[in-house]
Amino acid sequence: MRHLDELTRELGLDLDAFVVYSSVSGVFMGAGSGSYAAANAYLDGLMANRRAAGLHGLSLAWGLWAQTSGMAANTDDLTRNRMNRRGGLQAMSLTEGMELFDAAVGSRQSLLVPARLDLRGVRADAAAGGGVPHLLRGLVRAGRQAARAADGGDKRRRLTDRLTGLAPAEQEALLLDLVRARAAVVLGHAGPSGVQPDMAFNEVGFDSLTAVELRNRLREATGLKLPATLIFDYPNPLALARYLHRELLPDDGVNGQELDEARLRRALASLPLARFRAAGLMDALVELAALADGAPHTRTTDENSEAEGGDEKRAIAELDVDDLVHLALGD
């Protein structure tokens, strides 16, 4: 195109129009297609240069076409859904495209974007807490940050209240459904069935850009402060759901600790006392039991082994996890 531009200038041709086709990706849909967006932006700049020189020049940054031939031949429904979700673009028919072309040719602008915008969808997404592409913020108002933050706290409380009324397995299932549903929206799927619980996010189509988008949607849904590396730290929906569970209900770990302590008590009670003597722990265990009673310990195993046997069993039964850890470390 640069050569054509230079040739027409050198020949001094009196052109009625100099129109090039570029893409909306060079304007605001370039995420994930850097080189393609840059090439189209070059065409836009070239036409701006011609206009500045007093020459004809118009770049049409086309949006999404509904046709299934040419460059759009490999654009499937999933890709179209993603473009609509990310930039508010809907596919335009051939008739609509030709009408936009006729309207644009007579313009004195160097760059126009003939595209069919889904502003209703962008507004709905903004109302739900989603982002608005910067170029469309003159048409759709983005939600206020302070209002989103306040709403985030309310969402977290509502979600936490809902979870506390469920059994642990039901809590995990609810959060897993939430993760899968948000992931499906980001990928453009019609429902969460396209996102399996144990399949890695990078295997179902996520990249660094969509990872941030999923983080944002989960942040809006849960009210949690989540890192941008969320799906890389927790690489599949099930792992991510369990992380959200720990963040939303951190006190649930107490129940797990109590269960572990109960199992540990049963295991300790089943051990023969000779094992503790062989490990050199008997005197320390009995001393701990005596201190727990508030009385100084005056007996040793050599002085009264039978009476001590009852103390030993009681000491083992009354130990908690912290006492055992300190004892094992020699504190």
Side-chain angles (χ1 to χ4, degrees):
M1 186 58 63
R2 180 173 60 87
H3 296 300
L4 182 59
D5 168 50
E6 293 175 351
L7 183 60
T8 57
R9 294 191 192 209
E10 292 173 0
L11 295 176
L13 298 179
D14 184 17
L15 302 177
D16 292 328
F18 192 114
V19 181
V20 299
Y21 285 7
S22 68
S23 169
V24 68
S25 64
V27 181
F28 72 104
M29 284 290 295
S33 57
S35 58
Y36 180 71
N40 285 283
Y42 171 80
L43 292 179
D44 300 340
L46 183 62
M47 294 303 102
N49 180 269
R50 286 185 60 87
R51 282 288 182 179
L55 302 172
H56 289 291
L58 173 62
S59 180
L60 297 180
W62 289 102
L64 185 63
W65 290 80
Q67 69 187 62
T68 57
S69 60
M71 293 185 65
N74 296 322
T75 306
D76 54 16
D77 290 339
L78 181 57
T79 301
R80 292 189 179 93
N81 289 338
R82 291 176 182 174
M83 294 182 71
N84 182 26
R85 175 184 46 76
R86 287 185 181 180
L89 289 179
Q90 288 185 329
M92 57 186 161
S93 67
L94 183 60
T95 300
E96 290 172 326
M98 294 308 299
E99 290 175 351
L100 288 173
F101 176 84
D102 291 337
V105 168
S107 172
R108 295 189 176 184
Q109 300 293 326
S110 65
L111 171 63
L112 292 174
V113 182
R116 184 181 179 189
L117 299 177
D118 180 19
L119 296 182
R120 180 180 297 179
V122 176
R123 291 191 184 98
D125 197 38
V132 177
H134 288 278
L135 198 68
L136 299 183
R137 290 185 180 179
L139 302 174
V140 178
R141 179 178 296 180
R144 295 178 58 186
Q145 185 67 29
R148 289 200 301 268
D151 186 54
D154 293 338
K155 288 180 178 179
R156 178 172 181 173
R157 284 189 292 273
R158 289 196 297 268
L159 181 57
T160 301
D161 291 342
R162 184 180 177 187
L163 288 170
T164 53
L166 301 175
E170 294 173 326
Q171 293 173 351
E172 181 176 292
L174 187 150
L175 292 172
L176 180 58
D177 289 343
L178 184 149
V179 171
R180 294 177 63 199
R182 295 306 187 280
V185 171
V186 171
L187 294 176
H189 291 297
S193 59
V195 183
Q196 298 302 314
D198 56 351
M199 183 170 289
F201 287 112
N202 61 358
E203 293 181 1
V204 296
F206 276 90
D207 55 22
S208 58
L209 295 169
T210 48
V212 173
E213 185 175 349
L214 177 58
R215 186 281 306 265
N216 292 343
R217 289 183 178 273
L218 289 175
R219 182 179 59 190
E220 294 294 337
T222 63
L224 294 171
K225 293 182 179 180
L226 302 171
T229 58
L230 187 65
I231 71 166
F232 303 105
D233 299 331
Y234 307 96
N236 62 55
L238 183 57
L240 181 49
R242 289 173 176 171
Y243 165 73
L244 295 177
H245 184 275
R246 293 193 298 270
E247 292 296 305
L248 290 165
L249 298 173
D251 293 338
D252 270 14
V254 174
N255 296 331
Q257 182 178 353
E258 291 175 353
L259 292 174
D260 291 341
E261 185 170 324
R263 287 196 296 267
L264 182 57
R265 285 178 181 276
R266 290 194 297 270
L268 290 173
S270 67
L271 293 174
L273 298 181
R275 296 280 295 275
F276 292 96
R277 290 194 182 96
L281 298 176
M282 186 60 69
D283 289 342
L285 290 174
V286 174
E287 183 70 24
L288 282 173
L291 291 174
D293 290 339
H297 174 59
T298 57
R299 296 179 303 191
T300 65
T301 55
D302 293 333
E303 293 171 341
N304 194 339
S305 59
E306 291 183 0
E308 205 169 88
D311 290 338
E312 292 165 352
K313 293 180 180 179
R314 179 164 52 85
I316 294 170
E318 293 178 353
L319 284 176
D320 60 20
V321 174
D322 289 338
D323 290 332
L324 289 169
V325 170
H326 289 303
L327 187 61
L329 294 175
D331 295 343

